[in-house]
Amino acid sequence: MLVAFSVSPLGGESENVGRAVAEAVRVVRESGLPHELSSMYTTVEGEWDEVMAVVKRATDVLLAKYPRVSLVLKADIRPGHTGQLAAKVARVEEYLSE
């Protein structure tokens, strides 16, 4: 399962969210799950329960400091497939090289 998510504070602190995003990404990195950070999302790979637990912890870290948090989540649920974080990109790159 791949989950791309974005979590950030809303309201008065929303002008500069980089520090808050870094706190959420730290949770992802500490999880040990395969992940990738991009300019708009963090993508995490793993089993449903472990990935959703990481998303919850990352959200909770922000909720501890901010009264309101936005969470955007997109999931690719494909049982029996692992290593898709890199494999999906590799397939597209292969098609582009044709």
Side-chain angles (χ1 to χ4, degrees):
M1 166 184 216
L2 293 173
V3 169
F5 78 102
S6 170
V7 61
S8 63
L10 290 175
E13 298 293 326
S14 64
E15 292 301 316
N16 185 359
V17 300
R19 188 170 301 279
V21 170
E23 293 178 38
V25 172
R26 184 174 288 113
V27 170
V28 174
R29 289 185 176 174
E30 290 173 353
S31 76
L33 293 177
H35 63 277
E36 184 176 87
L37 176 64
S38 71
S39 61
M40 293 187 58
Y41 292 95
T42 301
T43 304
V44 184
E45 184 170 17
E47 296 299 318
W48 179 279
D49 290 339
E50 61 188 359
V51 171
M52 291 304 181
V54 169
V55 171
K56 182 179 185 331
R57 283 195 306 273
T59 303
D60 287 346
V61 162
L62 297 191
L63 282 171
K65 292 186 174 186
Y66 303 98
R68 189 175 180 189
V69 172
S70 169
L71 173 64
V72 176
L73 185 142
K74 180 177 181 180
D76 180 353
I77 304 163
R78 194 173 183 197
H81 289 79
T82 59
Q84 295 302 299
L85 191 62
K88 289 177 78 167
V89 174
R91 283 192 296 275
V92 171
E93 290 294 343
E94 183 179 319
Y95 295 135
L96 287 170
S97 68
E98 294 176 350

